[in-house]
Coordinates of all heavy atoms in Angstrom, one line a residue:
M1 N 125.2 150.8 108.9 CA 126.0 149.7 108.6 C 127.1 150.1 107.7 O 127.0 151.0 106.9 CB 125.2 148.6 107.9 CG 124.3 147.8 108.8 SD 123.6 146.5 107.8 CE 122.9 145.5 109.1
K2 N 128.2 149.3 107.9 CA 129.3 149.6 107.0 C 129.1 149.1 105.6 O 128.3 148.1 105.4 CB 130.6 148.9 107.6 CG 131.0 149.6 108.9 CD 132.4 148.9 109.3 CE 132.9 149.6 110.6 NZ 134.2 149.1 111.0
E3 N 129.7 149.7 104.6 CA 129.5 149.3 103.2 C 129.9 147.9 103.0 O 129.2 147.1 102.3 CB 130.2 150.3 102.3 CG 130.0 150.0 100.9 CD 130.7 150.9 99.9 OE1 131.4 151.9 100.4 OE2 130.7 150.7 98.7
N4 N 131.0 147.4 103.6 CA 131.4 146.1 103.3 C 130.5 145.0 103.9 O 130.3 144.0 103.3 CB 132.9 145.8 103.8 CG 133.0 146.0 105.3 OD1 132.1 146.5 106.0 ND2 134.2 145.6 105.8
K5 N 129.8 145.4 105.0 CA 128.8 144.5 105.6 C 127.6 144.4 104.6 O 127.1 143.3 104.4 CB 128.4 145.0 107.0 CG 127.4 144.1 107.7 CD 128.1 142.9 108.1 CE 127.1 142.1 109.1 NZ 127.7 140.8 109.4
L6 N 127.2 145.5 104.1 CA 126.1 145.5 103.1 C 126.4 144.7 101.9 O 125.6 143.9 101.4 CB 125.7 146.9 102.8 CG 125.0 147.8 103.9 CD1 124.9 149.2 103.4 CD2 123.7 147.2 104.3
I7 N 127.6 144.8 101.4 CA 128.0 144.1 100.2 C 128.1 142.6 100.5 O 127.6 141.8 99.7 CB 129.4 144.6 99.7 CG1 129.3 146.0 99.2 CG2 130.0 143.6 98.7 CD1 130.6 146.6 98.9
E8 N 128.5 142.2 101.7 CA 128.5 140.8 102.1 C 127.1 140.3 102.2 O 126.8 139.2 101.7 CB 129.2 140.7 103.5 CG 129.4 139.3 104.0 CD 130.1 139.3 105.3 OE1 131.0 140.0 105.6 OE2 129.6 138.5 106.2
M9 N 126.2 141.0 102.7 CA 124.8 140.6 102.8 C 124.2 140.5 101.4 O 123.5 139.5 101.2 CB 124.0 141.6 103.7 CG 124.3 141.6 105.1 SD 123.5 142.9 106.1 CE 121.8 142.5 105.8
K10 N 124.5 141.4 100.6 CA 124.0 141.3 99.2 C 124.5 140.1 98.5 O 123.7 139.4 97.8 CB 124.5 142.6 98.4 CG 124.1 142.6 97.0 CD 124.6 143.8 96.3 CE 124.4 143.8 94.8 NZ 125.5 143.2 94.0
N11 N 125.8 139.7 98.7 CA 126.3 138.6 98.0 C 125.7 137.3 98.6 O 125.4 136.3 97.8 CB 127.8 138.5 98.2 CG 128.6 139.6 97.5 OD1 128.0 140.1 96.5 ND2 129.8 140.0 97.9
K12 N 125.4 137.2 99.9 CA 124.8 136.1 100.5 C 123.3 135.9 99.9 O 122.9 134.8 99.7 CB 124.7 136.2 102.0 CG 126.1 135.9 102.7 CD 126.0 136.0 104.2 CE 127.3 135.7 104.8 NZ 127.2 135.8 106.3
I13 N 122.6 137.0 99.8 CA 121.3 137.0 99.3 C 121.3 136.5 97.8 O 120.5 135.6 97.4 CB 120.6 138.3 99.4 CG1 120.3 138.6 100.9 CG2 119.3 138.4 98.6 CD1 119.8 140.0 101.2
E14 N 122.2 136.9 97.0 CA 122.3 136.5 95.7 C 122.7 135.0 95.6 O 122.1 134.3 94.8 CB 123.4 137.3 94.9 CG 122.9 138.7 94.6 CD 124.0 139.6 94.0 OE1 125.2 139.2 94.0 OE2 123.7 140.7 93.6
A15 N 123.5 134.5 96.5 CA 123.9 133.1 96.5 C 122.7 132.3 96.9 O 122.4 131.2 96.3 CB 125.0 132.9 97.5
M16 N 121.9 132.7 97.9 CA 120.7 132.0 98.3 C 119.7 132.0 97.2 O 119.0 131.0 97.0 CB 120.1 132.6 99.6 CG 121.0 132.4 100.8 SD 120.3 132.8 102.4 CE 119.5 134.3 102.1
T17 N 119.6 133.1 96.4 CA 118.6 133.1 95.3 C 119.0 132.1 94.3 O 118.1 131.4 93.7 CB 118.6 134.6 94.7 OG1 118.3 135.5 95.7 CG2 117.7 134.6 93.5
R18 N 120.3 132.0 94.0 CA 120.7 131.0 93.0 C 120.4 129.6 93.5 O 120.0 128.7 92.7 CB 122.2 131.1 92.7 CG 122.6 132.3 91.9 CD 124.0 132.3 91.4 NE 125.0 132.2 92.5 CZ 125.5 133.3 93.1 NH1 125.1 134.5 92.7 NH2 126.3 133.2 94.1
V19 N 120.6 129.3 94.8 CA 120.3 128.0 95.3 C 118.9 127.7 95.2 O 118.4 126.6 94.8 CB 120.8 127.9 96.8 CG1 120.3 126.7 97.5 CG2 122.4 127.9 96.8
M20 N 118.0 128.7 95.6 CA 116.6 128.5 95.5 C 116.1 128.2 94.1 O 115.3 127.4 93.9 CB 115.8 129.7 96.1 CG 115.9 129.8 97.6 SD 115.3 128.3 98.5 CE 113.7 128.3 98.0
Q21 N 116.7 128.9 93.1 CA 116.3 128.7 91.7 C 116.7 127.3 91.3 O 115.9 126.6 90.6 CB 117.0 129.7 90.8 CG 116.5 129.7 89.4 CD 115.0 129.8 89.3 OE1 114.4 130.7 89.8 NE2 114.4 128.9 88.5
Q22 N 117.8 126.8 91.7 CA 118.3 125.5 91.4 C 117.3 124.4 92.0 O 116.9 123.4 91.4 CB 119.7 125.2 91.9 CG 120.2 123.8 91.5 CD 120.3 123.6 90.0 OE1 120.6 124.5 89.3 NE2 120.1 122.3 89.6
L23 N 116.9 124.7 93.3 CA 115.9 123.8 93.9 C 114.6 123.7 93.2 O 114.0 122.7 93.0 CB 115.7 124.2 95.4 CG 116.9 123.9 96.3 CD1 116.6 124.5 97.7 CD2 117.1 122.4 96.5
I24 N 114.1 124.9 92.8 CA 112.9 125.0 92.0 C 113.0 124.2 90.7 O 112.1 123.4 90.4 CB 112.5 126.4 91.7 CG1 112.1 127.1 93.0 CG2 111.4 126.5 90.7 CD1 111.9 128.6 92.9
T25 N 114.1 124.3 90.0 CA 114.3 123.6 88.8 C 114.3 122.1 89.0 O 113.7 121.3 88.3 CB 115.7 124.0 88.1 OG1 115.6 125.4 87.9 CG2 115.9 123.3 86.8
E26 N 115.0 121.6 90.1 CA 115.1 120.2 90.4 C 113.7 119.7 90.8 O 113.3 118.5 90.5 CB 116.1 120.0 91.5 CG 117.5 120.2 91.0 CD 118.6 119.9 92.1 OE1 118.2 119.3 93.1 OE2 119.7 120.3 91.9
I27 N 112.9 120.5 91.5 CA 111.6 120.0 91.9 C 110.7 119.9 90.7 O 109.9 118.9 90.5 CB 110.9 121.0 92.9 CG1 111.6 120.9 94.3 CG2 109.4 120.8 93.1 CD1 111.3 121.9 95.3
Q28 N 110.8 120.8 89.7 CA 110.0 120.7 88.5 C 110.4 119.5 87.7 O 109.6 118.7 87.2 CB 110.2 122.0 87.6 CG 109.6 123.2 88.2 CD 110.0 124.5 87.5 OE1 111.0 124.5 86.8 NE2 109.1 125.5 87.6
F29 N 111.7 119.2 87.7 CA 112.2 118.0 87.0 C 111.7 116.7 87.6 O 111.2 115.8 87.0 CB 113.7 117.9 86.9 CG 114.3 116.7 86.3 CD1 114.2 116.5 84.9 CD2 114.9 115.7 87.1 CE1 114.7 115.3 84.4 CE2 115.4 114.6 86.5 CZ 115.3 114.4 85.2
T30 N 111.7 116.7 89.0 CA 111.2 115.5 89.7 C 109.7 115.3 89.5 O 109.3 114.2 89.3 CB 111.5 115.7 91.2 OG1 112.9 115.9 91.4 CG2 111.0 114.5 92.0
K31 N 109.0 116.4 89.4 CA 107.5 116.3 89.1 C 107.3 115.7 87.7 O 106.5 114.8 87.6 CB 106.9 117.7 89.2 CG 105.4 117.7 88.9 CD 104.9 119.1 88.8 CE 103.5 119.1 88.2 NZ 103.1 120.4 87.9
E32 N 108.1 116.2 86.8 CA 107.9 115.7 85.4 C 108.3 114.2 85.3 O 107.6 113.4 84.7 CB 108.8 116.4 84.4 CG 108.4 117.8 84.2 CD 109.3 118.7 83.4 OE1 110.3 118.1 82.8 OE2 109.2 119.9 83.3
V33 N 109.3 113.7 86.0 CA 109.7 112.3 86.1 C 108.6 111.5 86.7 O 108.2 110.4 86.3 CB 111.0 112.1 86.8 CG1 111.3 110.7 87.1 CG2 112.2 112.7 86.0
A34 N 108.0 112.0 87.9 CA 107.0 111.3 88.6 C 105.7 111.1 87.7 O 105.1 110.1 87.7 CB 106.6 112.0 89.9
V35 N 105.3 112.2 87.0 CA 104.1 112.1 86.2 C 104.4 111.2 85.0 O 103.5 110.4 84.7 CB 103.8 113.5 85.7 CG1 102.7 113.5 84.6 CG2 103.3 114.4 86.8
G36 N 105.5 111.2 84.4 CA 105.9 110.3 83.3 C 105.9 108.9 83.8 O 105.4 108.0 83.1
T37 N 106.4 108.6 85.0 CA 106.4 107.3 85.5 C 105.0 106.8 85.8 O 104.7 105.6 85.4 CB 107.2 107.2 86.8 OG1 108.6 107.7 86.5 CG2 107.3 105.8 87.4
L38 N 104.2 107.6 86.3 CA 102.8 107.2 86.6 C 102.1 106.9 85.3 O 101.3 105.9 85.2 CB 102.1 108.4 87.4 CG 100.6 108.1 87.7 CD1 100.4 106.9 88.5 CD2 100.0 109.3 88.3
E39 N 102.2 107.8 84.3 CA 101.5 107.5 83.0 C 102.0 106.2 82.4 O 101.2 105.5 81.8 CB 101.7 108.7 82.1 CG 101.1 110.0 82.6 CD 99.5 109.8 82.8 OE1 98.9 109.2 81.9 OE2 99.0 110.3 83.8
T40 N 103.3 105.9 82.5 CA 103.8 104.7 82.0 C 103.2 103.5 82.7 O 102.8 102.5 82.1 CB 105.4 104.6 82.1 OG1 105.9 105.8 81.4 CG2 105.9 103.4 81.6
I41 N 103.2 103.6 84.0 CA 102.6 102.5 84.8 C 101.2 102.3 84.5 O 100.7 101.1 84.5 CB 102.8 102.7 86.4 CG1 104.3 102.6 86.7 CG2 102.0 101.8 87.2 CD1 104.7 103.1 88.1
K42 N 100.4 103.3 84.3 CA 99.0 103.2 83.9 C 98.8 102.4 82.7 O 97.7 101.7 82.5 CB 98.4 104.6 83.8 CG 98.1 105.3 85.0 CD 97.5 106.7 84.7 CE 97.1 107.4 86.0 NZ 96.5 108.7 85.6
K43 N 99.8 102.4 81.8 CA 99.6 101.7 80.5 C 100.0 100.2 80.6 O 99.9 99.4 79.7 CB 100.4 102.4 79.4 CG 99.8 103.7 79.1 CD 100.6 104.5 78.1 CE 99.9 105.8 77.9 NZ 100.4 106.6 76.7
M44 N 100.5 99.8 81.8 CA 101.0 98.4 81.9 C 99.8 97.5 82.2 O 98.8 97.9 82.8 CB 101.9 98.3 83.1 CG 103.2 99.0 82.9 SD 104.2 98.9 84.4 CE 105.7 98.3 83.7
P45 N 99.9 96.3 81.7 CA 98.8 95.3 81.9 C 98.6 95.0 83.4 O 99.6 94.9 84.1 CB 99.3 94.0 81.2 CG 100.6 94.3 80.6 CD 101.0 95.7 80.9
G46 N 97.4 94.9 83.8 CA 97.1 94.6 85.2 C 97.1 95.8 86.1 O 96.9 95.7 87.4
Y47 N 97.2 97.0 85.6 CA 97.2 98.2 86.4 C 95.9 98.4 87.2 O 96.0 98.7 88.4 CB 97.5 99.5 85.5 CG 97.3 100.8 86.3 CD1 98.3 101.2 87.2 CD2 96.1 101.5 86.1 CE1 98.1 102.4 87.8 CE2 96.0 102.7 86.8 CZ 97.0 103.2 87.7 OH 96.8 104.3 88.3
D48 N 94.8 98.3 86.5 CA 93.5 98.5 87.2 C 93.3 97.5 88.3 O 92.8 97.9 89.4 CB 92.4 98.4 86.2 CG 92.4 99.5 85.2 OD1 92.8 100.6 85.6 OD2 92.0 99.3 84.0
E49 N 93.7 96.2 88.1 CA 93.5 95.2 89.2 C 94.4 95.6 90.4 O 94.0 95.5 91.5 CB 93.8 93.8 88.6 CG 92.9 93.3 87.6 CD 93.2 93.8 86.2 OE1 94.3 94.3 85.9 OE2 92.2 93.8 85.4
A50 N 95.7 96.0 90.1 CA 96.6 96.3 91.1 C 96.1 97.5 91.9 O 96.2 97.6 93.1 CB 98.0 96.6 90.5
L51 N 95.5 98.5 91.2 CA 95.0 99.7 91.9 C 93.9 99.3 92.8 O 93.8 99.8 94.0 CB 94.6 100.7 90.8 CG 94.1 102.0 91.3 CD1 95.2 102.7 92.1 CD2 93.6 102.9 90.2
E52 N 93.0 98.5 92.4 CA 91.8 98.0 93.2 C 92.3 97.3 94.4 O 91.9 97.5 95.5 CB 90.9 97.2 92.4 CG 90.0 97.9 91.5 CD 89.2 99.0 92.2 OE1 88.6 98.7 93.2 OE2 89.1 100.1 91.6
K53 N 93.3 96.4 94.2 CA 93.9 95.7 95.4 C 94.5 96.6 96.4 O 94.3 96.5 97.6 CB 95.0 94.7 94.8 CG 95.5 93.8 95.9 CD 96.5 92.8 95.3 CE 97.2 92.0 96.4 NZ 98.2 91.0 95.8
L54 N 95.2 97.6 95.9 CA 95.9 98.6 96.8 C 94.8 99.4 97.5 O 94.9 99.6 98.7 CB 96.7 99.5 96.0 CG 97.5 100.6 96.7 CD1 98.5 99.9 97.7 CD2 98.3 101.5 95.8
K55 N 93.7 99.8 96.9 CA 92.6 100.5 97.5 C 92.0 99.7 98.6 O 91.8 100.2 99.7 CB 91.5 100.9 96.5 CG 91.9 102.0 95.6 CD 90.8 102.3 94.6 CE 91.1 103.3 93.6 NZ 90.0 103.5 92.6
N56 N 91.8 98.4 98.4 CA 91.3 97.5 99.4 C 92.2 97.4 100.6 O 91.8 97.4 101.7 CB 91.0 96.1 98.8 CG 89.8 96.2 97.8 OD1 88.9 97.0 97.9 ND2 89.8 95.2 96.9
E57 N 93.5 97.2 100.3 CA 94.5 97.1 101.4 C 94.5 98.4 102.3 O 94.5 98.3 103.5 CB 95.9 96.9 100.9 CG 96.1 95.5 100.3 CD 97.4 95.3 99.6 OE1 98.3 96.2 99.7 OE2 97.6 94.2 99.0
V58 N 94.4 99.5 101.6 CA 94.4 100.8 102.4 C 93.2 100.9 103.2 O 93.2 101.3 104.4 CB 94.6 102.0 101.4 CG1 94.3 103.3 102.1 CG2 95.9 102.0 100.8
T59 N 92.0 100.5 102.7 CA 90.8 100.6 103.4 C 90.8 99.7 104.6 O 90.4 100.1 105.7 CB 89.6 100.1 102.5 OG1 89.6 101.0 101.3 CG2 88.3 100.3 103.2
K60 N 91.4 98.5 104.4 CA 91.5 97.5 105.6 C 92.4 98.1 106.6 O 92.1 98.0 107.8 CB 92.0 96.2 105.1 CG 91.0 95.4 104.3 CD 91.5 94.1 103.8 CE 90.5 93.4 102.9 NZ 91.0 92.1 102.4
K61 N 93.5 98.7 106.2 CA 94.4 99.3 107.2 C 93.8 100.4 108.0 O 93.9 100.5 109.2 CB 95.7 99.8 106.5 CG 96.6 98.7 106.1 CD 97.9 99.3 105.5 CE 98.8 98.2 104.9 NZ 100.0 98.7 104.2
D62 N 93.0 101.2 107.3 CA 92.3 102.3 107.9 C 91.3 101.8 108.9 O 91.2 102.3 110.0 CB 91.6 103.2 106.9 CG 92.6 104.1 106.1 OD1 93.8 104.2 106.6 OD2 92.2 104.6 105.1
E63 N 90.6 100.8 108.6 CA 89.6 100.2 109.5 C 90.2 99.6 110.7 O 89.8 99.8 111.8 CB 88.8 99.1 108.7 CG 87.8 99.7 107.7 CD 87.1 98.6 106.9 OE1 87.4 97.4 107.1 OE2 86.3 99.0 106.0
S64 N 91.3 98.9 110.5 CA 92.0 98.3 111.7 C 92.6 99.4 112.6 O 92.7 99.2 113.8 CB 93.1 97.3 111.2 OG 94.1 97.9 110.5
K65 N 93.1 100.4 112.0 CA 93.7 101.6 112.7 C 92.6 102.2 113.6 O 92.8 102.5 114.8 CB 94.3 102.6 111.8 CG 95.0 103.7 112.5 CD 95.6 104.7 111.5 CE 96.2 105.9 112.2 NZ 96.8 106.8 111.2
E66 N 91.4 102.4 113.0 CA 90.3 103.0 113.7 C 89.9 102.1 114.9 O 89.6 102.6 116.0 CB 89.1 103.2 112.8 CG 89.3 104.4 111.8 CD 88.1 104.6 110.9 OE1 87.1 103.8 111.0 OE2 88.3 105.4 109.9
K67 N 89.8 100.8 114.7 CA 89.5 99.8 115.7 C 90.5 99.9 116.9 O 90.1 99.9 118.1 CB 89.4 98.4 115.2 CG 88.2 98.2 114.3 CD 88.2 96.8 113.8 CE 87.0 96.5 112.9 NZ 87.0 95.2 112.3
T68 N 91.8 100.0 116.5 CA 92.8 100.1 117.5 C 92.7 101.4 118.3 O 92.8 101.4 119.5 CB 94.2 100.0 116.8 OG1 94.3 98.8 116.1 CG2 95.3 100.0 117.9
E69 N 92.4 102.5 117.7 CA 92.3 103.8 118.3 C 91.1 103.7 119.3 O 91.2 104.3 120.4 CB 92.2 104.9 117.3 CG 93.4 105.2 116.6 CD 93.3 106.3 115.5 OE1 92.1 106.8 115.3 OE2 94.3 106.6 114.9
V70 N 90.0 103.1 118.9 CA 88.8 103.0 119.8 C 89.1 102.2 121.0 O 88.7 102.5 122.1 CB 87.6 102.5 119.0 CG1 86.5 102.2 119.9 CG2 87.2 103.4 117.9
Q71 N 89.8 101.1 120.8 CA 90.2 100.2 121.9 C 91.1 100.9 122.9 O 91.0 100.7 124.1 CB 90.8 98.9 121.4 CG 89.8 98.0 120.7 CD 90.5 96.8 120.1 OE1 91.7 96.6 120.1 NE2 89.7 95.9 119.5
V72 N 92.0 101.7 122.4 CA 93.0 102.4 123.3 C 92.3 103.5 124.1 O 92.6 103.6 125.2 CB 94.2 103.0 122.4 CG1 95.0 103.9 123.2 CG2 95.0 101.9 121.8
N73 N 91.4 104.2 123.5 CA 90.7 105.3 124.2 C 89.7 104.6 125.1 O 89.3 104.9 126.1 CB 90.0 106.2 123.2 CG 91.0 107.0 122.4 OD1 92.1 107.2 122.8 ND2 90.6 107.3 121.2

């Protein structure tokens, strides 16, 4: 390979490395925000009741989905 082609490839790899590092940083920040939000919501009044209601809704949806799948097959 020509030297200028190798230099071009090296520069592209370095640019991609910088982009990947920025993405990793942003993902870590998003994780921290999500965890902080969850912990804040857990301290709100009515959290336990809302969680139970959500669990019941998900269970009902799963049951109805299973019934639909059995009827289709």
Side-chain angles (χ1 to χ4, degrees):
M1 283 188 165
K2 292 186 176 182
E3 184 179 353
N4 63 348
K5 183 71 172 175
L6 290 173
I7 292 171
E8 183 181 320
M9 289 173 59
K10 177 183 174 267
N11 291 337
K12 285 183 180 181
I13 290 171
E14 288 173 351
M16 290 190 317
T17 301
R18 286 190 301 273
V19 169
M20 289 303 297
Q21 186 58 49
Q22 181 64 32
L23 286 172
I24 290 168
T25 301
E26 290 181 15
I27 289 171
Q28 289 171 338
F29 176 74
T30 303
K31 177 186 170 194
E32 289 173 12
V33 169
V35 169
T37 303
L38 177 60
E39 293 303 317
T40 301
I41 290 172
K42 284 181 179 181
K43 294 180 182 191
M44 295 176 128
Y47 170 77
D48 292 326
E49 294 82 17
L51 185 61
E52 284 302 317
K53 184 177 178 183
L54 185 60
K55 285 179 184 178
N56 290 335
E57 289 175 6
V58 169
T59 303
K60 288 178 184 178
K61 285 181 184 178
D62 287 344
E63 289 173 357
S64 66
K65 184 178 176 182
E66 288 176 7
K67 288 179 183 178
T68 304
E69 289 177 356
V70 170
Q71 290 175 357
V72 171
N73 293 330

